[in-house]
Amino acid sequence: MIPPEDDALSQEPQEPHGERWLDDQAGPMVRPYVMTSGRLEPTRGDFDLITLVVAIGPEPEGEIGLGPEHLAIMRLCQQVMSVAELTGHLDLPVATVRVLLGDLLDKGLITMQEPQPEADMHDIRLYKAVIDGLRAL
Amino acid sequence: MVSEPSRRALDGRRLPTAVKIVIAGGFGVGKTTMVGTVSETQPLRTEELLTDQSVGVDDVSGVERKATTTVAMDFGRITMRDEYVLYLFGTPGQERFWFMWDEVAYGALGAVVLADTRRLKDCFPSVDYFERRGTPFVVAVNCFEGARQYDLEEIEMALNLGPDVPVMLCDARKLDSCKRVLINLVLHAMKVRGVGEPAALTAEAHQA
Ligand SMILES: Nc1nc2c(ncn2[C@@H]2O[C@H](COP(=O)(O)OP(=O)(O)OP(=O)(O)O)[C@@H](O)[C@H]2O)c(=O)[nH]1
Ligand SMILES: [Mg+2]
């Protein structure tokens, strides 16, 4: 199967960008690996599926080295979002989102909260909060 | 739109911590239904891109270029007070994607294994997986129409579970039923991990 292209993203304003692929007929074709300049691993951070991410400031304008996908993440992250939610909203593979998040972390544009490591799931407050939250549904 | 915890985070305070529960079980057993029933929004979908490495060489024999395929997981979110956000993840149906299971099971508070009495053995791989991994889990038996009604003891015997694994009936379409399953899972996880005194909380869970 061929990696899916993203409709929402290809409707973004198209600025000339070295990391994008232009195709005469189809318009810009943005493949996951192209979006990340072929990178498979983020420069920083593990980005678990439930790592929570939030933008530090508003969506930056004219920041060098940011593609439309980076900006889309900044927009979504005006609210606290998990990595999984970002991939769902952007309809991009997890690996791609991780690379893009690494870039934003490098630039100091996002902050994040890693989940509790498995080894220290012994905090009773966590369990109580989850039980209360479920009861309240 | 902006929920409580996110507001706090934007004020530069601290971000909430996310926890997750995995919903597993065989094909078509109601995993996505359960995620949807308890989540605050429609289930979302996350996709992993598989390369030939992750799938295994045998799958790409004769394929010239790098083979890629995607495997999807459904998930939903429940925002909780006290700085926690709960995510529910439905495992991918295809069991050969074990590496995805590893990713989703890592750090999970616990797992619900859904079972359908018409094809009970479909849940065996999930049960085996969480047993081996040491993830606390409960078995929730979905009551599909047309299925013979078994009693729980019969099912427990057939599943050959450890004596402490809770088994309960459920209807993944009903909120109250899903809540009960999930609360019992959290209590079970506390017991397995030796956290606190779940006894006091248990009584209420049974009527939840
Ligand atoms: N009677 C009954 N039907 C259910 C229940 N849970 C799910 N269903 C139905 O079973 C069908 C399959 O449910 P899904 O939630 O899609 O199952 P799934 O496990 O996500 O399926 P896959 O992802 O394809 O493996 C749907 O038509 C549901 O409406 C239940 O508790 N009782
Ligand atoms: Mg499903």
Side-chain angles (χ1 to χ4, degrees), chain A residues 1-4 32-33 40 47-55 77-89 91-96 98 111-119 121-137, chain B residues 1-3 5-6 9-10 15-21 38 44-49 51 65 68-70 73 75 77-78 80-82 84-87 89 103-109 133 135 175 179 182-183 186-187 189-190 193 195-197 201 204-205:
Chain A
M1 235 211 291
I2 291 163
Y33 295 132
L40 292 166
F47 300 111
D48 188 279
L49 284 173
I50 58 165
T51 289
L52 296 176
V53 184
V54 73
C77 285
Q78 296 300 309
Q79 290 188 62
V80 179
M81 282 268 154
S82 61
V83 172
E85 280 168 297
L86 287 170
T87 74
H89 287 305
D91 200 12
L92 288 175
V94 183
T96 309
R98 286 191 172 120
T111 179
M112 60 180 190
Q113 174 70 51
E114 304 273 8
Q116 216 134 10
E118 193 150 359
M121 304 243 326
H122 291 279
D123 184 352
I124 191 163
R125 284 172 307 175
L126 182 152
Y127 295 87
K128 283 200 162 138
V130 173
I131 289 173
D132 288 348
L134 287 168
R135 285 205 180 122
L137 284 181
Chain B
M1 265 297 278
V2 182
S3 60
S6 27
L10 291 177
L15 279 169
T17 300
V19 272
K20 72 181 156 193
I21 288 176
V38 290
L44 280 166
R45 190 153 255 247
T46 177
E47 288 201 335
E48 263 330 311
L49 216 54
T51 56
R65 66 194 173 85
T68 40
T69 182
T70 56
M73 281 189 296
F75 68 96
R77 162 181 177 146
I78 305 167
M80 323 213 124
R81 58 177 185 84
D82 292 339
Y84 291 104
V85 185
L86 175 65
Y87 288 94
F89 281 85
E103 169 154 20
V104 85
Y106 176 79
L109 190 147
R133 215 185 161 283
T135 303
L175 178 61
K179 272 167 68 171
L182 292 169
I183 290 169
V186 180
L187 293 169
M190 289 172 82
R193 296 202 176 98
V195 182
E197 251 316 315
L201 298 160
E204 274 182 75

Side-chain angles (χ1 to χ4, degrees), chain B residues 117-129:
Chain B
T117 50
R118 296 168 301 178
R119 357 171 226 144
L120 209 52
K121 69 174 166 45
D122 286 8
C123 77
F124 290 178
S126 306
V127 167
D128 282 344
Y129 179 83

Side-chain angles (χ1 to χ4, degrees), chain B residues 25-34 45 74 91-93 114 141-145 170-174:
Chain B
F27 179 75
V29 79
K31 301 178 292 287
T32 305
T33 305
M34 183 174 265
R45 190 153 255 247
D74 296 313
T91 53
L114 285 171
V141 182
N142 243 351
C143 314
F144 284 93
E145 283 89 13
C170 91
D171 188 326
R173 300 162 303 177
K174 301 215 169 85

